[in-house]
Amino acid sequence: MKKIGDEVRRILEDLEPPAGTAPGPEPAEEEEVCPICKGVGFYVLDVPVDHPDFGRAIPCVCQREDWERRRLQRLQRLSPLESLRDKTFDTFSLREGEISPAEVESLRKALAACMEFAADPRGWLLLIGGLGCGKTHLAAAIANARLAQGEPALFIVVPDLLDHLRATFHPGSGVSYDERFEEIRGAPLLILDDLGAESSTSWAQEKLYQIVNYRYNARLPTVFTTNVPLEEIEPRIRSRLLDHTLTTICRINAPDFRVRIALEEGPELNALPFLQDKTFATWDDRRDTLARVQFENLEMVYNAARAYAEAPHNWFVLVGDYGTGKTHLAAAIANERVRRGDQVLFVSVPDLLDYLRAAFSPDSTVSYARRFEEVKRIPFLVLDDLSTESATPWAREKLYQLLNFRHMAGLPTVITIARPLEYMNDPDNVRLLSKIDERIRVRLLDPRRCTIYKLKVPAYVEDPDRKPRRRRRRA
């Protein structure tokens, strides 16, 4: 029987190269093996069976950088940022010469706040403004700036985020719901565009709250954009957004840059530029021509209008005969708010309805839905000459939808209504508003949202030999 040692020596001799042949390449040095995972890339903790990490494969530190890179790549595929590469701080327009100086300043402050956040993301940044004011551009610019610095950022539209979570329940999904949810809520920088546009289902609201609450507790850098009033945001989310120790709120009071295109199709919608001479300083108090009780009524309404212009909230309604000064006071309020930087739309009801109807023209480049949204969400609206007495059913419905939304949201709104002088002594205002659509009348009579001021004076008839008494401008 052959001995094992002799057999091994024979095999090794057979493996040696023949004499005179060149030696083969040096054997490659063995790669250093991670002492933690032994090259597997994962490890399992030695914990009791009832421990939550029992049996869980934990990525090893040696693989964490590569794992994190691949995770972020998966996240970027959820984001529409590829189509927003041109949205940078350099390409953001302040629209100087196109909008009012106050609106330009609003954009300038928003740009500065976003650039500061992009340089050092800390806390939360909330961008609030109407449709098309530039919120998404600025939010995308933050994400693009961080990515250019080699830092991770996840930009995602809120309804899309919820769709991505739902998609994980599909049998063909390559990622579990828990994994996707964890990736999103723990993103180093999360930018949630269009908050408030999501579905109102309980599931959607709960998932969004869980993401926001996690980031709130962890103080993770987050950017939000929204065009809805904060009162409409889910209460639990709203309370966290209003934490002044964490959130910087930036309100953009600039009009939709797309509205200019719509207005070029027909008459100017906003009548305020033609009413710039209607101010509190140019108001004629008519003290020389009115009876004392009438002068005192006009003075009371004037002072109420000034007070509302100082701190507008809810609805301010002026009712009076034609030529009593309703439109002048409404325009004076609007001009004062523009001077203070507000975005204001002053429009007569007939012009508004024509503007909405024009969206159905084959030549219109703006949809009806967009036009209606622009008007109903405008931060400050003045509706001159409200009347539904001869309105079509379509017009009544549109006016109701518009005013019902603003009533629920408590958005500042000034309304003028023409009614004969003999109606002004109606104590409960029911007869006064009897010609208004019942659904709108109920909201006008709601004392929590609306205050009605009656101009109990005759129509103003200008005397060519009389110089009107002008108000001195307050300091």
Side-chain angles (χ1 to χ4, degrees):
M1 180 180 293
K2 296 181 180 179
K3 294 183 179 179
I4 292 178
D6 295 339
E7 191 64 22
V8 170
R9 278 192 296 272
R10 185 187 64 77
I11 294 173
L12 291 176
E13 288 174 357
D14 291 341
L15 292 176
E16 289 182 2
T21 60
E26 292 289 331
E29 293 184 7
E30 292 185 7
E31 294 184 4
E32 186 176 347
V33 178
C34 174
I36 300 175
C37 68
K38 311 303 182 186
V40 176
F42 295 86
Y43 62 90
V44 178
L45 293 176
D46 184 13
V47 293
V49 176
D50 58 350
H51 192 280
D53 286 332
F54 177 80
R56 179 180 168 218
I58 300 174
C60 184
V61 290
C62 70
Q63 299 292 319
R64 194 158 292 170
E65 183 176 338
D66 182 61
W67 180 83
E68 183 69 15
R69 177 182 55 79
R70 286 185 279 110
R71 185 182 73 87
L72 292 176
Q73 286 177 345
R74 286 199 307 271
L75 282 180
Q76 291 306 323
R77 286 195 289 270
L78 305 179
S79 172
L81 204 57
E82 189 61 37
S83 62
L84 299 171
R85 290 296 182 194
D86 61 324
K87 306 305 183 203
T88 66
F89 295 128
D90 290 337
T91 61
F92 185 75
S93 172
L94 296 177
R95 300 162 66 187
E96 293 176 291
E98 181 184 324
I99 57 178
S100 71
E103 291 166 339
V104 171
E105 185 60 23
S106 169
L107 290 175
R108 195 187 310 278
K109 289 180 178 178
L111 176 61
C114 291
M115 291 180 71
E116 181 180 352
F117 187 90
D120 184 20
R122 292 177 183 270
W124 287 6
L125 179 63
L126 173 60
L127 301 176
I128 304 176
L131 294 168
C133 69
K135 305 181 304 298
T136 296
H137 186 133
L138 289 172
I142 292 173
N144 285 324
R146 295 302 296 171
L147 292 174
Q149 298 168 26
E151 299 294 336
L154 174 59
F155 176 102
I156 193 165
V157 182
V158 172
D160 291 347
L161 179 154
L162 296 168
D163 286 344
H164 287 308
L165 290 178
R166 292 187 188 97
T168 61
F169 298 119
H170 190 276
S173 173
V175 61
S176 70
Y177 167 82
D178 289 339
E179 185 178 359
R180 176 58 45 80
F181 185 76
E182 184 64 32
E183 288 175 343
I184 292 173
R185 77 170 187 172
L189 170 60
L190 180 62
I191 301 172
L192 294 175
D193 189 36
D194 214 5
L195 178 67
E198 68 276 0
S199 168
S200 59
T201 66
S202 57
W203 181 88
Q205 294 289 337
E206 185 62 27
K207 295 303 113 179
L208 188 58
Y209 165 70
Q210 289 173 358
I211 291 172
V212 171
N213 188 56
Y214 177 87
R215 299 187 69 83
Y216 176 81
N217 291 331
R219 293 308 198 248
L220 291 175
T222 312
V223 178
F224 302 86
T225 79
T226 186
N227 59 27
V228 304
L230 287 177
E231 293 78 11
E232 294 183 33
I233 302 295
E234 201 273 343
R236 296 174 298 174
I237 295 176
R238 182 174 68 243
S239 69
R240 284 149 180 79
L241 289 172
L242 294 177
D243 183 349
H244 69 277
T245 65
L246 178 67
T247 307
T248 298
I249 299 179
C250 189
R251 298 181 183 273
I252 304 177
N253 297 315
D256 189 338
F257 72 93
R258 290 160 290 205
V259 172
R260 178 172 55 85
I261 300 173
L263 295 180
E264 288 172 353
E265 301 174 0
E268 183 75 29
L269 177 64
N270 196 348
L272 196 58
F274 306 105
L275 300 170
Q276 292 183 359
D277 61 322
K278 301 295 189 286
T279 67
F280 292 115
T282 61
W283 172 255
D284 180 6
D285 60 20
R286 302 168 61 187
R287 69 175 64 210
D288 297 333
T289 61
L290 293 176
R292 181 179 180 83
V293 65
Q294 292 173 333
F295 166 73
E296 289 177 349
N297 167 257
L298 203 59
E299 186 78 353
M300 181 272 295
V301 176
Y302 168 85
N303 289 331
R306 287 214 66 145
Y308 185 84
E310 291 285 333
H313 62 286
N314 293 330
W315 292 8
F316 187 92
V317 179
L318 293 163
V319 185
D321 208 343
Y322 288 108
T324 55
K326 304 182 304 298
T327 298
H328 188 130
L329 286 176
I333 294 171
N335 282 318
E336 177 62 21
R337 294 317 304 173
V338 168
R339 188 181 71 81
R340 295 176 182 231
D342 281 1
Q343 184 183 355
V344 178
L345 173 62
F346 186 111
V347 62
S348 71
V349 172
D351 287 346
L352 171 62
L353 294 171
D354 286 345
Y355 174 74
L356 294 177
R357 290 188 190 98
F360 297 112
S361 168
D363 299 326
S364 176
T365 60
V366 182
S367 69
Y368 164 78
R370 171 166 285 280
R371 286 192 172 192
F372 189 69
E373 284 294 311
E374 290 163 356
V375 174
K376 83 174 188 179
R377 295 183 185 276
I378 200 81
F380 196 104
L381 176 64
V382 181
L383 282 179
D384 193 31
D385 199 15
L386 174 65
S387 173
T388 61
E389 183 177 2
S390 58
T392 65
W394 178 87
R396 286 172 178 258
E397 184 63 26
K398 295 306 113 180
L399 287 172
Y400 164 69
Q401 291 174 1
L402 169 66
L403 291 172
N404 184 55
F405 175 85
R406 298 187 70 84
H407 178 268
M408 291 190 298
L411 292 174
T413 307
V414 177
I415 300 171
T416 74
I417 302 173
R419 296 296 283 153
L421 180 59
E422 59 263 28
Y423 285 81
M424 293 303 109
N425 292 320
D426 178 17
D428 56 10
N429 296 326
V430 173
R431 183 166 173 258
L432 183 72
L433 303 175
S434 60
K435 301 297 185 182
I436 303 295
D437 181 275
E438 181 180 1
R439 297 171 298 174
I440 297 175
R441 183 169 66 246
V442 168
R443 283 150 183 80
L444 290 170
L445 293 173
D446 181 357
R448 300 168 302 168
R449 282 281 192 261
C450 181
T451 305
I452 298 175
Y453 292 92
K454 294 177 278 191
L455 286 80
K456 302 177 182 180
V457 296
Y460 176 82
V461 178
E462 186 173 2
D463 182 349
D465 297 324
R466 173 180 173 271
K467 294 182 179 180
R469 185 188 299 271
R470 303 299 187 189
R471 290 273 178 173
R472 292 184 179 180
R473 186 179 294 276
R474 293 184 182 180

